[in-house]
Amino acid sequence: MRYRKFGNTGLFVSELCLGTMTFGGQGELWSQIGDLQQNDADRLMGRALDAGINFIDTADVYSEGLSEQMTGQALKNLQVSREDVVLATKVFGETGPGANARGLSRYHIMEGVKASLKRLQVDHIDLYQVHGFDPATPIEETLHALDTLVQHGYVRYIGVSNWAAWQIMKALGIANRQGLAHFQSLQAYYTIAGRDLEREIIPMLQSEGLGLMVWSPLAGGLLSGKYTREGQAETGSRRTHFDFPPVEMERAYDCIDTMRLIADNKGVSVAQIALAWLLHQDAVTSVIVGAKRTDQLDDNIAATQVELSNDELAELNRVSDLPPEYPGWMFERQGAYRRDQLAAQKR
């Protein structure tokens, strides 16, 4: 297990992060994703920690709060020292019937962090992430609330999830101008079959030094190797009853076909190739892996040992490449001479 610097901080996190969305199964949506009970959660957590994973991600809405509760209890049951794990959770989604039990208002953030700390059984959260963009709350209000949490020690770092590049840049500008805590990371969907992040968001992250946490790195199980153009998958697979996230299927199947050839040649699973491709991307800080069984988690962890050659990466990039889109194709056309000058300077 390798450890990577987290955004513009001195914190280091494991290249794989254990996601706990499969814990609990409370609520109609979450029961479709996973319904692990405490003993199974303890077992998965222990296996992840033994493999060197020091990064754990959850959210207040997963299984209606039960995932946070089970995550905290698992750490307690396993007698894990608080300083040995980097604990991340999120705020934004609906946590009750009231009109203010959602969003990124100061009201909801302050209520949300208290509830998360109690469920997790900790006195601070290492990474507190806003789980989505709230069109009803000024970004300034959200940032001031998060800064208060950092200043009071309830939260060490702040991050964002599922925001556009312009929204993140606006928030960074406000934080810089007003002397507030800055977002250090983005948690976003990114796979070999869904590379939209590369158009605007990844260049922005690299420019500003933010870390990237990848959610659903197997596209909801589609890239696990269980699916083919014929639609074959084992009973209980998530995609058979919860078709998310959206994927351009023909490109995805082209990726799967290519990954299967490389996987067979290396004697590894298709899922390991999909994860290894992400781990070879410079912008990626940590890839969030979730599992229902320890053998699935073991397979995911093994991806950290898969090395892809330059030729293999080139073929995977070719089959998964995004179609040209403006202004990207104009950048390519107009910037060629200046890129050549930069390349010559390095020789």
Side-chain angles (χ1 to χ4, degrees), residues 99-126:
N100 293 305
R102 69 209 73 198
L104 296 177
S105 66
R106 186 177 188 88
Y107 181 97
H108 184 57
I109 287 173
M110 294 303 182
E111 292 300 311
V113 76
K114 287 191 296 184
S116 289
L117 289 168
K118 182 177 180 180
R119 286 190 291 263
L120 289 165
Q121 303 182 61
V122 295
D123 61 4
H124 73 275
I125 293 162
D126 298 305

Side-chain angles (χ1 to χ4, degrees), residues 58-248:
T58 186
D60 59 3
V61 293
Y62 294 169
S63 288
E64 302 174 355
L66 185 56
S67 174
E68 279 188 331
Q69 183 178 323
M70 291 175 63
T71 297
Q73 190 61 46
L75 291 171
K76 185 175 182 180
N77 291 346
L78 295 168
Q79 299 182 334
V80 178
S81 296
R82 183 65 185 89
E83 62 268 24
D84 289 340
V85 292
V86 177
L87 192 55
T89 192
K90 312 179 195 75
V91 63
F92 169 71
E94 183 177 307
T95 55
N100 293 305
R102 69 209 73 198
L104 296 177
S105 66
R106 186 177 188 88
Y107 181 97
H108 184 57
I109 287 173
M110 294 303 182
E111 292 300 311
V113 76
K114 287 191 296 184
S116 289
L117 289 168
K118 182 177 180 180
R119 286 190 291 263
L120 289 165
Q121 303 182 61
V122 295
D123 61 4
H124 73 275
I125 293 162
D126 298 305
L127 175 64
Y128 201 44
Q129 303 158 99
V130 296
H131 207 169
F133 183 75
D134 181 0
T137 302
I139 292 176
E140 289 88 344
E141 178 177 343
T142 297
L143 291 175
H144 275 279
L146 293 171
D147 184 72
T148 296
L149 298 182
V150 172
Q151 297 303 323
H152 287 190
Y154 297 117
V155 168
R156 297 292 188 256
Y157 304 102
I158 59 172
V160 63
S161 182
N162 303 320
W163 279 28
W166 72 265
Q167 294 165 336
I168 297 172
M169 282 304 303
K170 182 176 180 179
L172 292 176
I174 292 169
N176 187 58
R177 187 169 64 250
Q178 299 190 19
L180 304 173
H182 287 67
F183 289 136
Q184 297 296 342
S185 61
L186 168 69
Q187 185 174 146
Y189 169 67
Y190 184 38
T191 70
I192 192 171
R195 295 172 59 182
D196 307 77
L197 223 62
E198 295 174 7
R199 297 201 188 277
E200 296 280 350
I201 294 177
I202 283 180
M204 179 275 298
L205 296 177
Q206 293 178 315
S207 170
E208 303 307 310
L210 271 66
L212 173 60
M213 299 167 64
V214 176
W215 62 258
S216 200
L218 299 180
L222 181 65
L223 305 180
S224 64
K226 296 179 290 189
Y227 294 84
T228 67
R229 280 186 168 84
E230 291 72 39
Q232 299 168 354
E234 64 186 46
T235 302
S237 296
R238 186 192 304 179
R239 276 268 177 185
T240 61
H241 48 76
F242 185 51
D243 193 20
F244 182 84
V247 174
E248 202 288 297

Side-chain angles (χ1 to χ4, degrees), residues 31-47:
S31 65
Q32 298 178 56
I33 295 172
D35 60 355
L36 298 184
Q37 300 308 299
Q38 192 66 57
N39 286 341
D40 293 323
D42 292 357
R43 192 174 300 111
L44 278 179
M45 185 84 71
R47 187 68 61 92

Side-chain angles (χ1 to χ4, degrees), residues 191-195 222-223 225 227-230 247-263 270 273-274 277 312-323:
T191 70
I192 192 171
R195 295 172 59 182
L222 181 65
L223 305 180
Y227 294 84
T228 67
R229 280 186 168 84
E230 291 72 39
V247 174
E248 202 288 297
M249 296 304 291
E250 282 307 308
R251 187 187 305 154
Y253 286 134
D254 288 343
C255 293
I256 291 169
D257 290 343
T258 302
M259 289 192 297
R260 182 167 280 112
L261 291 174
I262 295 173
V270 172
I273 300 300
W277 181 85
E312 289 167 338
L313 284 169
E315 180 60 18
L316 290 169
N317 289 336
R318 183 195 66 79
V319 75
S320 64
D321 205 13
L322 291 169

